[in-house]
Amino acid sequence: MARSSSPAPSSPARRARDKNRPLIEDIRLLGRILGDVIREQEGQAAFDLVERVRQLSVAYRLKSDAQAGKALDRLLKNLSSDQTVSVIRAFSYFSHLANIAEDRHHVRRRLVHERQGHLQEGSLAMSLERLAEADIRAADIARMLSQAYIAPVLTAHPTEVQRKSILDAERAIAELVEQRDEMPSAREREDNEALIRARVTQLWQTRMLRDVKLTVADEIENALSYYRSTFLRQIPRMYREIEAALPGHEIASFFRMGNWIGGDRDGNPNVSAETLRVALARQCETVLRFYLVEVHALGAELSISSTLAPVTPAMVALAAASPDASRHRSDEPYRRALIGMYARLAATLLAWTGTEALRHAVPPQNPYLRADDFLADLRTIEASLHAHQADALAVPRLKPLIRAVQVFGFHLATVDLRQSSDKHEAVVAELLKTARLEPDYAALDEDERRARLLALLNDARPLRVHGAAYSEHTLHELAIFEAAREMLARFGRQALRHYIISHTETVSDLLEVLLLMKETGLVRGVLDGEGEDAAVADLIVVPLFETIGDLRQAEPIMRAFYGLPGITALVLRSGREQDVMLGYSDSNKDGGSFTSNWELYRAELALAELFGELGRAHGITLRLFHGRGGTVGRGGGPSYQAILAQPPGTVNGQIRLTEQGEVIASKYAHPEIGRRNLETLVAATLEATLLHPTQSAPKAFLEAAAAISEASFAAYRRLVYETPGFTDFFFAATPIREIAELNIGSRPASRKASRAIEDLRAIPWGFSWGQCRIALPGWCGFGSAILGWIGTEAAQRKARLALLQRMHRQWPFFRTLMSNLDMVLAKSDLGIASRYLELVEDRKLGKRIFGLIQAEWERTAEALSLITGETQRLASNPSLARSIEHRFPYLDPLNHLQVELMRRYRRYPEGSSVEDPAFAKVRRGIHISINGVAAGLRNTG
């Protein structure tokens, strides 16, 4: 029989289509169901309108059909308010559903690669293989992890537009879409589709926006939902993967979660001592209820009879201590023990949170005083199972529960305290004035302040005068410190570890917080004391360096701080740890993206050198805390590349970083994707610590970056801060005013009641530019800097361009910046952005400033292409390029309609009320469009 000829290999385009077919099918399924729901709920005319807008937008975007663009413009401008809101809702929900489909496809492709034995960049498996290839032994990795501290920190900020009700419905849809991959029969898929349709109907009939502004308690609940859906189960699963890769080695609990919500009062007057108590109580309740569910399930699983399998004496004692007297379980020691443990957990829940467990085999009694006591009981069960050939029973639930208790304790996550330095100064000034120690503390110069504060830190006496009337501000601030002491006593050191000082500009900013801690019992003893009188601090005092000027002063401030008498000894007695937080957002708003990143790089190198000295002399460990946002303009971008791009010697197994805004939902709403993102942090930290080169970048690279930064800073400041009318343009051509009104966070959008860009929070600043598709903070200044630096003289241009290309190939810091720049340019769209010019009343001003923005954007795009050699955006990231190609035609109508509604909204007289239905509908439509654009762009927070 003749052999058949082998088929010709498929083309790359064909392979890409095949890979993406399940994604396209999911998007079409969800889009079709959404369309059916719209037709059913709103009528055929509404469906036809949405479909017409979709067709015109696709033709305009993908086929460059100018006539379609004009038709779309006419259609959208003539819609009624009701029609506009209906269309906006449709396209907003399509963005949400497309995200679900993309997330599922991401997991699907990852599984395909794993089954084929292909390791993925950023995965733990890939990192561990690289370590093995570098002859780094498992024992060395385990030793490094035993000293490591890695912590993502969830924060609430005024860009988080998702309602929890929407998130819950979307999680349900994501689970149903995932189930379809394992459904062979048509009947099962039909039943599944019916369930998806029910959830999409729920979405359509659920209010997308909040009617009232979020409270801090609401933000706490939103954050806790990610623990229930992802962290409580996926973090132990991640540890299990590490244990499997490093058999025979004890893996320390190096990875923990952090949280700002309830403790971050910088610019948020709604955060108080009470919100701190609520945050920790709700965290405690969340983790205890999780343990109760797991202990109950363990009781069902460990039905072992002592007549069939022996148990250890310790296990016999644990069972005997249980109040369970049921004769039916007299020969089931594990069940009896677990019923007793459940009763103790239920009693702990009642004592610490005032809430009750859902079920009781025996009444709650004998509460656990510490998580370690609960852990010891679980260890007793584990040891007994191991001793009698029942290890297999410990694997599914007991071992993950043990790891959960090691990581989460009874506190769940470490809550950070944060306040601005000027607020501390005001409290110290009032305390000193009332005590007649210093009539005008604010008038002292820095040297005088240091001397006065050190003297007070060496004085055992308190500052407060009994019976004196202090201001509300001082009482409010001191109450937070006192609540922290109370919470530490209850929940332990892991519940509260850090006190962050925003706007740290001087050494006295650090000393002021130490003095307030001493005043409230969080520092015991005095700086110059000996033995039991020597000062010990319960919290790590963490400076936050935010602006370009602050970053440049970071190392000198910390060197001077540690040079003060008694400070080094205090840190040694208090745990030998020093966290330093670096702010990406404010430094970017201050000096532009490139300069911000360069100054962060320089500050990290300087701090690493200082703490290298302190580490060698005293064993003090530096941990950098990166205040990264979602957008590239706020330090965002892929975490794996960001960590690997850190300067040599600055990670060392120690890193904290913030997770903010919409990024929290996109990273952690889906459990599997959440675990992958957590793994990425560990993988990058392992590589940065054990594989990263220790030598500095070449001198030529550093000198070039410094020169480019200086030019970029000048170009950015020239446009943003020195161009007449730029502030007016920003407030007119972006939805900053509308964002400030949106009920999307408990924190005000501006620090002061002014229109100055300096006073505006960096978060709504970046969010607003993202909404109008300019994304200016992520790229502004770079193009002018590069083109100016390489110059026009042929030989110089050739040499400097060659150097930039070598920096791109060889320097992770520079390569990551270029990758992020590529992404932000790809997500920007000046064609869409030009529509927002219609909102600028001064046409001449709008045209002039938009022309400057457009020219700088084009210079930046040209500079990036010269460096990377790629003329197409995202040529090296085809998956993101495909994502943008699929979703942008559905995003564009939201921007068009946002402009139209903002124009209508701004015509209403000032003081218009939401009691006016027409006004309320327009306002609601704008806010829904903000939600939809944020969902479509994903990393906008």
Side-chain angles (χ1 to χ4, degrees):
M1 191 166 74
R3 292 181 62 187
S4 61
S5 59
S6 60
S10 61
S11 67
R14 173 73 177 274
R15 288 196 299 273
R17 280 198 303 273
D18 290 344
K19 287 178 183 176
N20 287 311
R21 185 173 291 115
L23 169 61
I24 302 301
E25 288 174 355
D26 284 346
I27 289 176
R28 284 176 177 164
L29 169 72
L30 294 172
R32 175 171 57 79
I33 291 173
L34 177 62
D36 291 346
V37 168
I38 292 169
R39 185 189 291 108
E40 177 184 88
Q41 301 291 318
E42 306 292 318
Q44 186 66 39
F47 172 81
D48 291 342
L49 175 60
V50 169
E51 186 61 15
R52 178 65 177 151
V53 171
R54 185 190 70 81
Q55 290 169 352
L56 289 171
S57 185
V58 169
Y60 181 49
R61 163 69 67 168
L62 298 183
K63 301 174 185 175
S64 301
D65 184 341
Q67 290 304 115
K70 290 177 182 176
L72 179 64
D73 192 35
R74 285 194 304 272
L75 176 62
L76 296 180
K77 281 186 174 179
N78 290 313
L79 296 181
S80 68
S81 294
D82 284 339
Q83 288 175 314
T84 302
V85 171
S86 180
V87 172
I88 285 175
R89 291 189 76 219
F91 282 96
S92 293
Y93 275 128
F94 183 84
S95 288
H96 288 245
L97 295 173
N99 287 346
I100 291 170
E102 281 193 3
D103 288 346
R104 175 58 201 151
H105 194 60
H106 178 76
V107 173
R108 186 186 287 127
R109 293 306 307 164
R110 187 88 176 234
L111 290 172
V112 167
H113 285 297
E114 287 179 357
R115 287 168 187 157
Q116 294 173 346
H118 302 156
L119 300 181
Q120 293 288 95
E121 186 81 4
S123 67
L124 260 176
M126 171 69 90
S127 294
L128 291 168
E129 182 167 288
R130 285 177 176 163
L131 294 173
E133 289 171 353
D135 293 326
I136 295 171
R137 298 175 307 159
D140 297 326
I141 300 171
R143 189 178 307 112
M144 174 253 162
L145 292 176
S146 71
Q147 299 166 355
Y149 191 100
I150 304 173
V153 181
L154 303 190
T155 74
H157 276 295
T159 64
E160 198 172 1
V161 299
Q162 296 276 52
R163 276 188 75 205
K164 185 176 178 297
S165 301
I166 300 294
L167 284 171
D168 290 343
E170 289 177 2
R171 283 193 187 112
I173 293 170
E175 290 173 7
L176 291 165
V177 171
E178 180 179 348
Q179 292 166 12
R180 293 180 69 81
D181 285 354
E182 308 299 327
M183 289 182 175
S185 76
R187 179 56 185 270
E188 285 179 305
R189 292 172 77 81
E190 287 172 9
D191 291 345
N192 172 272
E193 184 174 325
L195 292 172
I196 294 174
R197 188 180 304 275
R199 296 283 73 78
V200 173
T201 302
Q202 176 192 348
L203 277 180
W204 191 257
Q205 294 192 355
T206 297
R207 178 169 35 83
M208 186 180 278
L209 303 175
R210 303 177 185 93
D211 279 342
V212 295
K213 198 166 183 66
L214 268 185
T215 65
V216 178
D218 294 327
E219 291 173 333
I220 291 167
E221 294 308 312
N222 280 353
L224 291 176
S225 71
Y226 295 100
Y227 286 86
R228 288 186 285 266
S229 69
T230 299
F231 299 132
L232 283 164
R233 296 193 186 279
Q234 296 303 321
I235 289 177
R237 190 174 166 192
M238 179 182 69
Y239 274 105
R240 187 174 69 197
E241 185 174 337
I242 297 171
E243 289 167 342
L246 306 173
H249 297 279
E250 185 75 22
I251 304 301
S253 293
F254 63 91
F255 190 99
R256 299 173 183 276
M257 294 299 299
N259 177 32
W260 272 14
I261 308 164
D264 174 18
R265 60 197 192 281
D266 176 20
N268 192 343
N270 302 305
V271 176
S272 63
E274 186 54 32
T275 63
L276 179 61
R277 292 187 181 94
V278 168
L280 282 162
R282 287 293 295 122
Q283 288 184 187
C284 176
E285 182 181 349
T286 298
V287 77
L288 287 177
R289 289 193 184 280
F290 172 75
Y291 296 157
L292 285 163
V293 168
E294 294 302 290
V295 165
H296 178 74
L298 269 176
E301 294 170 5
L302 300 185
S303 55
I304 301 163
S305 170
S306 56
T307 63
L308 299 173
V311 296
T312 62
M315 187 65 230
V316 171
L318 184 61
S322 170
D324 178 28
S326 170
R327 289 184 299 163
H328 298 294
R329 291 184 287 271
S330 60
D331 68 331
E332 295 175 341
Y334 293 100
R335 279 185 164 171
R336 285 167 46 220
L338 286 161
I339 285 171
M341 291 163 65
Y342 187 100
R344 296 192 69 184
L345 282 173
T348 307
L349 179 71
L350 184 60
W352 288 20
T353 73
T355 62
E356 294 195 16
L358 297 179
R359 55 173 73 89
H360 301 293
V362 296
Q365 54 199 283
N366 189 22
Y368 287 110
L369 299 180
R370 303 179 309 144
D372 284 347
D373 298 335
F374 176 46
L375 179 62
D377 286 351
L378 293 173
R379 288 289 198 195
T380 297
I381 295 174
E382 180 189 38
S384 183
L385 292 172
H386 175 73
H388 299 101
Q389 294 76 51
D391 276 329
L393 285 169
V395 171
R397 196 179 302 274
L398 179 60
K399 285 185 180 294
L401 179 56
I402 287 171
R403 180 62 75 178
V405 178
Q406 290 173 325
V407 172
F408 300 110
F410 286 168
H411 64 282
L412 187 68
T414 300
V415 176
D416 290 359
L417 302 178
R418 185 171 78 128
Q419 180 57 292
S420 180
S421 59
D422 61 311
K423 304 298 184 184
H424 303 135
E425 179 188 321
V427 175
V428 169
E430 184 175 354
L431 289 173
L432 296 187
K433 183 176 181 180
T434 304
R436 298 191 176 185
L437 294 172
E438 188 62 59
D440 191 359
Y441 173 78
L444 301 181
D445 65 26
E446 176 61 14
D447 288 340
E448 291 171 328
R449 289 188 185 200
R450 291 185 198 178
R452 170 58 80 185
L453 294 167
L454 283 171
L456 292 167
L457 286 166
N458 286 323
D459 189 335
R461 292 171 295 180
L463 286 173
R464 277 177 284 188
V465 177
H466 185 68
Y470 290 100
S471 68
E472 184 179 343
H473 170 70
T474 292
L475 294 173
H476 181 272
E477 290 298 309
L478 292 174
I480 295 259
F481 284 87
E482 288 166 340
R485 188 188 70 237
E486 173 193 328
M487 294 296 99
L488 273 170
R490 173 173 294 182
F491 296 107
R493 177 68 192 274
Q494 292 302 323
L496 289 161
R497 284 172 48 87
H498 309 95
Y499 193 106
I500 298 164
I501 307 167
S502 300
H503 310 112
T504 300
E505 297 171 347
T506 60
V507 171
S508 61
D509 291 337
L510 296 161
L511 295 175
E512 286 165 1
V513 170
L514 282 174
L515 183 61
L516 294 176
M517 286 170 58
K518 172 178 167 288
E519 183 66 17
T520 51
L522 291 167
V523 168
R524 299 176 306 284
V526 291
L527 278 186
D528 61 359
E530 296 180 2
E532 292 185 358
D533 293 332
V536 177
D538 288 334
L539 301 175
I540 302 169
V541 176
V542 183
L544 167 50
F545 300 107
E546 297 175 89
T547 66
I548 300 297
D550 294 345
L551 289 169
R552 290 171 179 167
Q553 287 299 307
E555 189 273 347
I557 286 173
M558 296 310 293
R559 186 175 290 278
F561 180 62
Y562 273 85
L564 294 174
I567 293 299
T568 300
L570 168 68
V571 174
L572 293 179
R573 288 189 295 269
S574 305
R576 298 174 184 262
E577 299 173 283
Q578 178 64 63
D579 290 64
V580 175
M581 186 170 181
L582 303 172
Y584 288 62
S585 305
D586 282 285
S587 58
N588 183 289
K589 185 165 71 76
D590 190 27
S593 181
F594 190 89
T595 298
S596 167
N597 279 281
W598 172 241
E599 292 297 343
L600 285 159
Y601 190 91
R602 290 183 60 210
E604 289 180 51
L605 281 176
L607 288 166
E609 184 176 340
L610 167 61
F611 281 92
E613 297 168 16
L614 289 168
R616 288 186 293 273
H618 304 289
I620 293 173
T621 297
L622 169 67
R623 184 181 305 111
L624 292 175
F625 183 8
H626 300 269
R628 303 172 73 235
T631 56
V632 169
R634 295 189 47 244
S639 298
Y640 176 75
Q641 286 85 354
I643 294 172
L644 291 183
Q646 296 304 306
T650 59
V651 177
N652 295 328
Q654 308 288 321
I655 194 165
R656 300 181 88 221
L657 68 165
T658 53
E659 300 281 25
Q660 302 178 353
E662 305 305 304
V663 172
I664 296 175
S666 67
K667 278 188 174 183
Y668 300 119
H670 187 288
E672 183 75 15
I673 289 174
R675 181 167 56 84
R676 300 298 188 188
N677 279 303
L678 296 170
E679 277 187 22
T680 290
L681 301 179
V682 178
T685 304
L686 283 171
E687 291 188 40
T689 302
L690 297 173
L691 288 181
H692 216 36
T694 53
Q695 69 271 23
S696 178
K699 185 180 178 184
F701 288 10
L702 299 174
E703 289 177 346
I708 293 164
S709 173
E710 186 177 348
S712 181
F713 180 79
Y716 175 86
R717 298 283 303 187
R718 191 163 53 245
L719 177 62
V720 173
Y721 290 98
E722 297 166 17
T723 300
F726 188 88
T727 300
D728 293 333
F729 175 88
F730 169 67
F731 275 89
T734 77
I736 179 63
R737 287 184 277 175
E738 290 74 15
I739 286 168
E741 297 170 0
L742 189 50
N743 297 313
I744 53 178
S746 66
R747 181 192 306 271
S750 185
R751 288 189 169 93
K752 300 176 184 176
S754 83
R755 279 167 53 96
I757 290 172
E758 291 88 343
D759 294 331
L760 190 69
R761 291 190 174 280
I763 299 154
W765 160 258
F767 193 59
S768 301
W769 286 114
Q771 283 283 312
C772 66
R773 307 288 285 281
I774 294 176
L776 180 136
W779 54 263
C780 182
F782 182 77
S784 290
I786 292 293
L787 298 182
W789 185 72
I790 62 177
T792 55
E793 194 274 318
Q796 174 185 293
R797 182 181 176 88
K798 182 178 179 182
R800 290 190 170 181
L801 194 52
L803 175 61
L804 289 170
Q805 290 166 346
R806 191 154 62 91
M807 290 163 65
H808 180 245
R809 289 193 305 272
Q810 299 175 8
W811 193 12
F813 166 75
F814 194 73
R815 185 169 58 251
T816 299
L817 284 185
M818 295 306 99
S819 174
N820 287 340
L821 187 58
D822 189 25
M823 178 178 71
V824 78
L825 289 179
K827 287 192 172 184
S828 62
D829 188 318
L830 295 193
I832 294 291
S834 67
R835 293 294 310 276
Y836 287 77
L837 284 183
E838 300 169 17
L839 300 170
V840 183
E841 291 183 7
D842 185 335
R843 300 292 186 194
K844 191 174 178 182
L845 172 74
K847 191 173 180 181
R848 175 172 61 84
I849 291 182
F850 188 76
L852 295 174
I853 291 171
Q854 188 167 21
E856 181 60 24
W857 188 96
E858 289 168 356
R859 284 190 288 268
T860 300
E862 179 188 352
L864 181 62
S865 295
L866 286 171
I867 293 167
T868 64
E870 296 169 351
T871 54
Q872 287 290 109
R873 293 281 71 84
L874 299 175
S876 59
N877 191 345
S879 62
L880 181 56
R882 284 193 299 271
S883 169
I884 286 174
E885 182 184 354
H886 286 141
R887 71 176 53 235
F888 274 21
Y890 301 93
L891 197 55
D892 294 350
L894 289 172
N895 284 109
H896 290 298
L897 288 166
Q898 188 178 88
V899 171
E900 179 58 31
L901 286 181
M902 284 168 65
R903 178 174 32 235
R904 297 180 194 178
Y905 181 70
R906 292 177 181 181
R907 285 180 187 152
Y908 280 93
E910 193 170 336
S912 296
S913 170
V914 290
E915 300 300 320
D916 176 353
F919 175 79
K921 186 146 288 188
V922 171
R923 186 171 183 262
R924 179 165 161 261
I926 294 171
H927 292 169
I928 295 172
S929 75
I930 290 170
N931 181 301
V933 172
L937 292 172
R938 305 209 82 169
N939 61 340
T940 63

